[in-house]
Amino acid sequence: MQKNKKLLTTLLLLIILPILVVIYIFGFGNIGIFNPVKIASNLTKPDLKSTDGRINILILGIDKRTEGNVVTSVLTDTILVASIGITEKNLTLISLPRDLWVTSKLGISGKINSVYAQYDQSKKGMIGPEGTKEVASQVLGIPIHYNVTINFEVFKKIIDTLGVLMLR
């Protein structure tokens, strides 16, 4: 029972974490505290990547499990794409189901949440966020310019920063 409760808590945190981050960062835009759409639309920096007036950001919620010093699992349990319209001054969030069947750049077919952890022999390491970004871009048919990875440590820092959350 304790193991099931811990698993349920872990899954809820992985689902709620990215949503809380997006709400915290983007939700305050309506009351003028922090408005990333306004900030992005006012940028004149020429090296900011965008396509058709939109900046697309992949947001990954990572569940990295270890036993001792050995990493046993690295899955992206939450996969979101935030698309910021610079000219329209809007934000669109797209959630990709973690069980979506895809083929990675290595030619390995499987669930999209396992792409991050696929091992690339030529690079001597995991495909990671860049490989996941390529697959998500293919699935959605849009370029993805940036990516953000959030794990439990980041989640803890966000909660510590926010303080007590009152749920109604």
Side-chain angles (χ1 to χ4, degrees):
M1 184 65 178
Q2 182 71 358
K3 189 174 182 177
N4 288 341
K5 188 174 182 180
K6 185 176 180 180
L7 179 63
L8 179 62
T9 302
T10 301
L11 289 176
L12 285 174
L13 289 177
L14 284 173
I15 293 168
I16 293 173
L17 168 69
I19 293 169
L20 287 175
V21 169
V22 170
I23 289 170
Y24 180 72
I25 293 173
F26 296 106
F28 290 124
N30 294 331
I31 57 175
I33 294 174
F34 180 71
N35 189 337
V37 175
K38 184 175 181 181
I39 292 168
S41 67
N42 291 330
L43 290 175
T44 57
K45 196 172 176 181
D47 63 343
L48 186 64
K49 297 177 189 173
S50 69
T51 305
D52 297 329
R54 298 199 77 78
I55 301 169
N56 301 316
I57 305 165
L58 179 68
I59 303 169
L60 301 171
I62 300 295
D63 179 16
K64 183 176 180 181
R65 296 176 189 254
T66 58
E67 288 181 15
N69 291 334
V70 179
V71 176
T72 59
S73 175
V74 180
L75 297 174
T76 50
D77 286 334
T78 303
I79 306 167
L80 297 170
V81 175
S83 183
I84 301 171
I86 298 171
T87 55
E88 298 90 4
K89 298 186 180 190
N90 63 2
L91 171 70
T92 303
L93 283 176
I94 303 165
S95 177
L96 293 173
R98 65 186 185 148
D99 292 336
L100 184 67
W101 201 260
V102 297
T103 301
S104 72
K105 68 179 183 177
L106 298 177
I108 300 170
S109 294
K111 294 179 182 180
I112 194 168
N113 75 329
S114 68
V115 171
Y116 188 98
Q118 290 178 5
Y119 190 79
D120 187 345
Q121 290 285 25
S122 65
K123 293 184 180 179
K124 303 281 189 229
M126 292 187 300
I127 289 178
E130 290 301 317
T132 306
K133 186 168 86 170
E134 287 177 24
V135 171
S137 179
Q138 289 172 354
V139 167
L140 295 173
I142 61 172
I144 298 178
H145 307 103
Y146 302 98
N147 60 279
V148 176
T149 303
I150 301 168
N151 62 19
F152 281 119
E153 293 305 313
V154 173
F155 177 73
K156 288 177 190 175
K157 289 178 185 176
I158 291 169
I159 297 301
D160 288 344
T161 301
L162 290 174
V164 176
L165 294 177
M166 299 301 290
L167 302 176
R168 295 180 190 170

